[in-house]
Amino acid sequence: MKFAFFPGCVSRGGCPELYPAAKKVCAQLGIELDELQDRGATCTGAGVLQEKNQFLGDVLNARTFAIAEGLGLPIMVICSTCQGVMSQANKRLKTDPNYLAKVNEQLSEEGLEYKGTASPRHLLWVLVEDIGIENLKTYVRRPLSGLRLAPFYGCYIVRPSEDLEFKLYRDREDSLEKVMEALGAEAVDFPGKTRCCGFPILTINEKNSVQMVANHTSSAKELGADALVTPCPLCHLNLDGYQPSAMKQTQQDINIPIIHLPQLVGLAMGFDPKELGLSRHIISTKKVLSKIQVAG
Amino acid sequence: MQVIVSVNRFDPEDSKGKYWQDYNLEIGENSTVLDALIKIREEIDGSLAMRCSCRSAICGSCAMRVNGHARLACNTKLVDMTDDAGMIKVEPMTNLPVIKDLVIDQQMFWDKIKQVSPWLQSEGPEPKGEYVASNESMNHLSGVMACIMCGACVSDCSALEVDKNFIGPAALAKAYRFVADPRDSKSVERLGVLNEYSGIWDCTRCYECVEVCPKGVGPMDRIMALREEAISVGYDNTIGARHADAFSDLVEDSGWLDELRLPIKTVGIFNLPALLNFAPVGLRALVKGKMPAIFHHNVPNVENVRKLFKRIRNNQNIDD
């Protein structure tokens, strides 16, 4: 199994623990990765660049898709935001041939052309759709039994569900819970699981953004979760990095760890927590590790 | 088929507060959630309060939360929503006060709509006949004009959940309908107001409103169009606009995001209070080895990316 790998900016920026964890897990699963950024792929625009210029954002994503087409490989991402922004751009490009032609006109100077065959997918979906839940269980060396985990998807991997082809791929709706259970943990039914973490308005309205962090982390804790698990590094940045601010703003003790999806899979595979970057979180992961009898 | 409709009930004259009540009923396979609620009210429990009228997804009266998301009860089939035990959960919309059971107080919704002056404001001499607008411009607006004011987008809005001052998706979609109307002469003034606090930049871009809108209005897409429009007419000094600018410049420069420089570039290198505000978070990240690299590398062939940015910008300036 081989993918054109698009790790996104945050997995090597604000969440540098994510990138190596994802690479280790993929290697263990026998997934070969061809790094798209080494071949010149750019940031997706994250929806922010699109606020200023959606056409430019679509051209950048079409360029990445064209590079992957050239390699003859499907694209894999490890960020909900990358997933959503790519899927939205791809839908516009695939449904309007005139628009695609206009975008390709911009790419032609570099000798690139997007033919419309890309279908970027998150590692989470690859685990469920390609590796398969039953097969994933065979990689578990350290079952996460006893752990109660609250899923936190991140907006862009669940909405708009039409762009993400949820009707075609029914398992996507509860993919995170399926993976957690395959690894031996218990998924906590959590009303905040598909809500916004607040990250996109962090610099614009910090109070509102931090309030969202407080609401989600405290409600997961009240439901008895040991940690939240997310496939989105932007959610991680806010839920982990701004949890101290959330505790201060709402004057409560929350302290619930936020774990990246690949870290969770890696833990169950038996990797050392340090290798997975679990000591590089703002909110300590030690309580979670001790619950599965691993030293942090 | 047999279904269990679990309804979140509330009566202000009862001390019980909010509680769930389950109704078991036998109903036809093709029934909607509204059919079930009407059957409950008429045959089982006359005290159940709800709004409904047209039963055809036109009037917008029967918006409520079904299994945790706002929808119109009249165009939601029961079979699509019931779980393995044949149960669905029905609640009033959120972000608006509940009057009784499934009936919410719409006052806040209408106040916000009124805030955007939802009428055409034309200037100059009145034409002899009607105001003329091109087919193209009206086709573009037909999507947003499909809004039936049901309030589903307001109910599930993430920003409104934490800040009731946010003007919200329905009012902003309505504002776009006038900003983008060629017969309106107040677009720039309208954008000026929407650019203020609690306006277009407070949206979290979470797509909840796009997902729940029963008429395909896509409120968030309209908010993004308003942001683009506001920047293009010169409202480019809000923190939101500067954030988009800084983001775009950094991607143009290296091909990918330099996360260390993004906040600094957004608030401005000489804005000491704002920079100091980042200090505790930055320090915590530094201690944990989470800081992005100080020396940010470029993606290979970054000159092609820079050329692309420049060419697209130039072409668009010519088009304008």
Side-chain angles (χ1 to χ4, degrees), chain A residues 10 13-14 17 37-38 42-43 48 51-53 88 106 110 156 159 161 195 205-206 208 280-281, chain B residues 156 163 202 204-208 211 227-228 245 255-257 259 277 288-290 300 304 311 316:
Chain A
V10 186
E17 65 281 1
Q37 207 194 53
D38 292 350
T42 67
C43 167
V48 181
E51 286 168 352
K52 235 189 117 179
N53 195 330
Q88 291 155 26
Q106 297 296 330
E110 243 187 293
Y156 284 38
R159 286 182 299 274
S161 55
R195 298 294 283 173
N205 191 331
E206 188 175 324
N208 285 0
R280 296 174 86 179
H281 290 207
Chain B
D156 286 20
D163 184 0
D202 274 21
T204 67
R205 290 195 275 114
C206 70
Y207 280 102
E208 290 275 11
E211 187 73 16
R227 287 183 181 179
E228 198 173 339
D245 254 341
W256 66 301
L257 192 59
E259 290 183 304
N277 189 38
K288 295 285 184 176
K290 275 177 73 84
N304 289 341
R311 198 165 58 238
Q316 285 175 338

Side-chain angles (χ1 to χ4, degrees), chain A:
Chain A
M1 202 180 297
K2 192 171 177 183
F3 285 91
F5 185 42
F6 187 88
C9 306
V10 186
S11 74
R12 291 157 307 150
C15 288
E17 65 281 1
L18 171 58
Y19 178 72
K23 296 258 287 191
K24 277 183 204 306
V25 164
C26 286
Q28 188 77 3
L29 291 167
I31 299 176
E32 231 183 300
L33 303 174
D34 192 319
E35 297 268 356
L36 272 169
Q37 207 194 53
D38 292 350
R39 298 178 183 275
T42 67
C43 167
T44 63
V48 181
L49 183 142
Q50 283 79 352
E51 286 168 352
K52 235 189 117 179
N53 195 330
Q54 189 180 79
F55 178 70
L56 174 59
D58 287 347
V59 171
L60 293 181
N61 285 301
R63 186 175 170 274
T64 302
F65 300 158
I67 295 172
E69 273 181 340
L71 297 171
L73 292 173
I75 297 172
M76 184 172 82
V77 300
I78 50 171
C79 167
S80 297
T81 305
C82 294
Q83 176 68 59
V85 174
M86 281 184 161
S87 293
Q88 291 155 26
N90 206 17
K91 192 189 168 201
R92 285 189 286 272
L93 295 163
K94 280 183 172 181
T95 50
D96 185 348
N98 293 330
Y99 188 61
L100 178 63
K102 214 175 129 195
V103 167
N104 273 328
E105 206 180 297
Q106 297 296 330
L107 300 181
S108 61
E109 194 145 318
E110 243 187 293
L112 290 169
E113 185 197 355
Y114 176 43
K115 297 186 180 70
T117 64
S119 178
R121 284 181 311 143
H122 195 289
L123 169 66
L124 173 62
W125 295 349
V126 171
L127 289 177
V128 177
E129 292 161 11
D130 296 45
I131 301 289
I133 287 296
E134 286 312 310
N135 187 22
L136 179 64
K137 287 179 185 169
T138 65
Y139 289 89
V140 175
R141 301 284 172 272
R142 183 194 285 143
L144 306 179
S145 32
L147 270 193
R148 301 193 76 231
L149 302 171
F152 199 90
Y153 281 87
C155 301
Y156 284 38
I157 201 169
V158 287
R159 286 182 299 274
S161 55
E162 194 191 327
D163 297 359
L164 298 160
E165 301 183 294
F166 269 40
K167 272 193 184 149
L168 266 176
Y169 301 94
R170 293 284 181 183
D171 285 338
R172 290 184 180 178
E173 204 175 311
D174 57 354
S175 47
L176 197 47
E177 287 93 324
K178 283 193 172 90
V179 170
M180 287 172 175
E181 283 160 7
L183 305 178
E186 183 191 341
V188 176
D189 191 18
F190 166 52
K193 71 180 177 183
T194 58
R195 298 294 283 173
C196 176
C197 71
F199 184 76
I201 53 165
L202 182 61
T203 45
I204 297 161
N205 191 331
E206 188 175 324
K207 188 170 167 247
N208 285 0
S209 174
V210 165
Q211 189 62 45
M212 290 180 196
V213 174
N215 291 354
H216 301 317
T217 51
S218 63
S219 98
K221 193 177 175 181
E222 274 162 31
L223 287 164
D226 298 305
L228 281 95
V229 178
T230 182
C232 182
L234 296 167
C235 294
H236 191 279
L237 273 181
N238 223 31
L239 298 172
D240 181 52
Y242 279 81
Q243 208 179 121
S245 310
M247 290 192 269
K248 199 173 160 196
Q249 184 168 305
T250 57
Q251 296 187 325
Q252 56 181 330
D253 171 45
I254 309 171
N255 273 312
I256 188 166
I258 316 296
I259 298 176
H260 295 287
L261 168 75
Q263 288 178 322
L264 190 81
V265 180
L267 257 186
M269 283 174 164
F271 283 107
D272 182 73
K274 281 210 175 73
E275 282 182 277
L276 299 168
L278 280 153
S279 52
R280 296 174 86 179
H281 290 207
I282 302 301
I283 303 297
S284 168
T285 56
K286 276 187 182 159
K287 271 190 283 181
V288 172
L289 298 176
S290 64
K291 208 163 174 186
I292 49 168
Q293 281 138 21
V294 184

Side-chain angles (χ1 to χ4, degrees), chain B residues 272-314:
Chain B
L272 270 183
L275 290 175
L276 281 174
N277 189 38
F278 294 132
V281 178
L283 260 176
R284 280 195 290 267
L286 190 67
V287 169
K288 295 285 184 176
K290 275 177 73 84
M291 282 296 265
I294 292 175
F295 300 105
H296 182 81
H297 69 266
N298 296 339
V299 301
N301 304 321
V302 70
E303 58 283 1
N304 289 341
V305 178
R306 291 177 190 156
K307 268 193 235 163
L308 207 53
F309 269 76
K310 209 169 163 191
R311 198 165 58 238
I312 290 174
R313 232 185 355 244
N314 287 343

